[in-house]
Amino acid sequence: MDLLELLRFQARRYRCTACGENMADCGINVLAQQGNRALVRVTCASCNDENLLQIIFQTEADEERKREFDEGFPEVEGPISGDELLDLHSMLAGHNGPLTELFRRS
Ligand SMILES: [Zn+2]
């Protein structure tokens, strides 16, 4: 599964902040990738609202920490893999600032 497929898979779990439509059919453009981070532009298929998202790929250390943190919580139901590679928690928040806030060139 490549990055776009992963993003598409994750997008189905979110709704557009502007119109409330499910993001399953949204447009996804990967603008930049650096290390374990990617900058992605998501365009709502319904209202064309655009959001810039910073995607952070979870490292093995993160996954272990998450497992510890999630201990005692019920498993998520549905066909969602337990090995999610992306953290899209910022999808709803979006990002309206300049790209340099997300990626500083060395
Ligand atoms: Zn929308």
Side-chain angles (χ1 to χ4, degrees):
M1 194 181 282
D2 65 20
L3 176 60
L4 269 179
E5 286 179 280
L6 278 167
L7 291 170
R8 176 76 59 195
F9 184 79
Q10 296 284 337
R12 284 184 283 177
R13 300 165 57 189
Y14 294 87
R15 291 186 179 280
C16 173
T17 54
C19 71
E21 282 295 312
N22 189 277
M23 296 297 277
D25 295 324
C26 66
I28 298 176
N29 282 298
V30 179
L31 303 179
Q33 246 182 296
Q34 179 178 306
N36 68 337
R37 296 177 178 211
L39 183 66
V40 179
R41 186 176 61 211
V42 177
T43 307
C44 175
S46 180
C47 71
N48 285 326
D49 184 59
E50 288 190 352
N51 278 302
L52 285 179
L53 310 174
Q54 181 181 218
I55 310 301
I56 300 173
F57 299 87
Q58 289 180 355
T59 64
E60 288 182 16
D62 286 338
E63 287 179 10
E64 279 183 24
R65 195 173 59 211
K66 188 182 172 191
R67 266 199 289 275
E68 289 172 18
F69 182 77
D70 286 344
E71 203 169 336
F73 286 78
E75 300 255 340
V76 176
E77 291 182 16
I80 296 170
S81 164
D83 294 317
E84 292 179 33
L85 298 177
L86 300 177
D87 180 0
L88 284 183
H89 73 271
S90 62
M91 176 165 253
L92 293 175
H95 180 85
N96 295 317
L99 302 188
T100 48
E101 283 183 16
L102 299 174
F103 292 98
R104 299 180 194 281
R105 292 185 184 280
S106 57

